[in-house]
Amino acid sequence: MSETSPRLRAELEGIPTYKPGKPAAAGGPVAYKLSSNENPYPPLPGVMESVLATAGSFNRYPDMACTGLMTELADRFGVPVSHIATGTGSVGVAQQLIQATAGPGDEVIYAWRSFEAYPIITQVSGATSVRVPLTPGEVHDLDAMAAAITDRTRLIFVCNPNNPTGTVVRRAELERFLDRVPSDVLVVLDEAYREFIRDPEVPDGIEIYRDRPNVCVLRTFSKAYGLAGLRVGFAVGHEPVAAALRKTAVPFGVSQLAQDAAVASLRAEDELMGRVGALVGERTRVAEALRGQGWTVPETQANFVWLRLGDRTVDFAAACEKAGVVVRPFAGEGARITIGETEANDIFLQAAETFR
Ligand code: PMP
């Protein structure tokens, strides 16, 4: 038998695999995971009950149309069911979006640094990434992004708040930018951290999309709703976009457990948003304490803070880990630290002060 391997697509050469945040070391004295922007709170009892009730039906496929969840979302956001599409996490929906819009020869624009999945899913599709550097203040450079649009541009990601900097795009500048985007180019407002925003000048993408058929909003149950392990996200966009997303979805990609837990979470929103409020309070405390230690901390509206550390990044992450908290280093650039439980945040602040 010949030893040749099957022919794989050339575009896949050199694509890094998606790197999850490092887990906390097992068996360490105290080890908190502040590396994946997860919610530190365990599931609400009501959400657990809904999942346990579904667990007896593992032998069945889930409802492929996510009927209950779609209806609940439509109600919650005041949009037609036909404007919603679900997927396996919002990263799954982002992949569906690229598949629906871009292929070889097409261009996908996004800010950089931003969510690390954008380059990977773009390259997998065969399309070309156009990265537009953040400004020195770590925010989206929307003028430069508008200037980067060509006849080949098919998709633009605006990550608001931006991962990993936590910085935001405000209403007036976003509207000005959208006015400059040709109507046949889809703009995705990735609002994975939407619920943590307290700046009233940051627009709600679901209000923006209503008058703009080329805008689509990406949301997730992984962050504020605390369901990262269940993999459920969704997009809100006009009917042709949402319909295309349903075509590019993995069939039965959202498990029944995930659907039921998402519905239960929407119904327990008051309690969940109370937890989000506590995390926002911790965010303010951590950012102010860091500034008090002399660090430059960009204004964050997400559940994490960003420290630009340059070539000290890896050493910083190692020092944090030694102290008992795992953060997310981007070698040569900086570290992203998730806001966690108070004790974890305190350990992190102590480590940051010692390192400085
Ligand atoms: N968008 C952004 C900006 C993110 O930071 C993340 C998670 N790191 C996602 C999307 C994907 O989250 P999920 O697939 O869990 O919904």
Side-chain angles (χ1 to χ4, degrees):
M1 261 212 299
S2 100
E3 288 294 318
T4 54
S5 35
R7 200 156 83 194
L8 303 171
R9 280 173 53 220
E11 290 91 342
L12 301 180
E13 282 288 321
I15 299 182
T17 36
Y18 183 77
K19 279 199 197 63
K22 204 172 154 186
V30 240
Y32 290 99
K33 182 173 180 238
L34 302 180
S35 54
S36 294
N37 301 340
E38 291 154 332
N39 191 320
Y41 295 101
L44 290 172
V47 174
M48 283 296 283
E49 275 162 31
S50 80
V51 167
L52 292 173
T54 310
S57 310
F58 274 163
N59 52 317
R60 304 290 177 192
Y61 284 105
D63 170 7
M64 192 158 93
C66 294
T67 317
L69 175 57
M70 299 269 279
T71 309
E72 198 79 22
L73 286 169
D75 216 44
R76 165 73 179 72
F77 293 110
V79 301
V81 170
S82 62
H83 284 204
I84 305 172
T86 52
T88 50
S90 56
V91 73
V93 185
Q95 197 157 21
Q96 288 160 239
L97 273 162
I98 294 198
Q99 257 192 300
T101 53
D106 298 329
E107 292 172 352
V108 177
I109 298 177
Y110 48 86
W112 199 251
R113 178 164 281 277
S114 192
F115 180 32
E116 61 270 33
Y118 300 154
I120 298 172
I121 58 185
T122 300
Q123 207 176 336
V124 167
S125 75
T128 302
S129 279
V130 177
R131 298 180 181 193
V132 178
L134 296 171
T135 68
E138 312 272 14
V139 300
H140 277 65
D141 187 342
L142 291 179
D143 283 337
M145 288 176 76
I149 298 170
T150 71
D151 289 346
R152 292 182 297 279
T153 307
R154 298 273 59 90
L155 190 65
I156 303 175
F157 283 103
V158 175
C159 189
N160 202 24
N162 187 50
N163 173 6
T165 57
T167 51
V168 289
V169 168
R170 295 192 172 80
R171 183 172 291 107
E173 54 176 333
L174 182 62
E175 296 275 14
R176 220 169 26 244
F177 169 73
L178 293 172
D179 288 343
R180 293 172 67 184
V181 177
S183 58
D184 63 349
V185 173
L186 185 65
V187 179
V188 180
L189 304 177
D190 183 344
E191 298 186 337
Y193 304 95
R194 166 75 210 162
E195 298 81 3
F196 297 96
I197 295 175
R198 292 295 178 271
D199 179 341
E201 291 304 310
V202 182
D204 179 338
I206 294 181
E207 294 313 316
I208 301 261
Y209 108 95
R210 292 184 200 273
D211 302 326
R212 296 188 182 266
N214 68 329
V215 170
C216 168
V217 183
L218 207 51
R219 297 272 180 101
T220 182
F221 282 92
S222 297
K223 309 297 178 181
Y225 291 91
L227 302 181
L230 287 178
R231 316 304 305 125
V232 53
F234 62 98
V236 180
H238 286 259
E239 207 158 323
V241 175
L245 291 177
R246 286 194 281 276
K247 289 182 194 172
T248 51
V250 172
F252 303 109
V254 184
S255 74
Q256 199 62 49
L257 290 188
Q259 294 180 37
D260 293 354
V263 168
S265 298
L266 286 168
R267 291 182 183 163
E269 205 158 41
D270 288 351
E271 208 169 334
L272 289 171
M273 293 311 134
R275 292 172 160 192
V276 167
L279 291 170
V280 167
E282 280 293 282
R283 171 179 82 198
T284 305
R285 182 177 78 87
V286 169
E288 281 174 4
L290 287 169
R291 290 186 190 115
Q293 292 174 10
W295 295 95
T296 300
V297 186
E299 183 57 44
T300 173
Q301 291 288 310
N303 65 338
F304 49 83
V305 291
W306 170 247
L307 295 178
R308 193 160 278 281
L309 290 143
D311 54 16
R312 299 170 78 209
T313 302
V314 172
D315 289 346
F316 178 82
C320 288
E321 197 165 338
K322 208 159 158 229
V325 290
V326 184
V327 303
R328 178 67 193 268
F330 295 88
E333 295 179 69
R336 187 193 68 201
I337 304 96
T338 306
I339 302 300
E341 44 280 78
T342 304
E343 192 190 359
N345 301 334
D346 284 342
I347 295 171
F348 163 67
L349 285 172
Q350 184 63 56
E353 184 161 38
T354 307
F355 186 85
R356 192 157 172 83

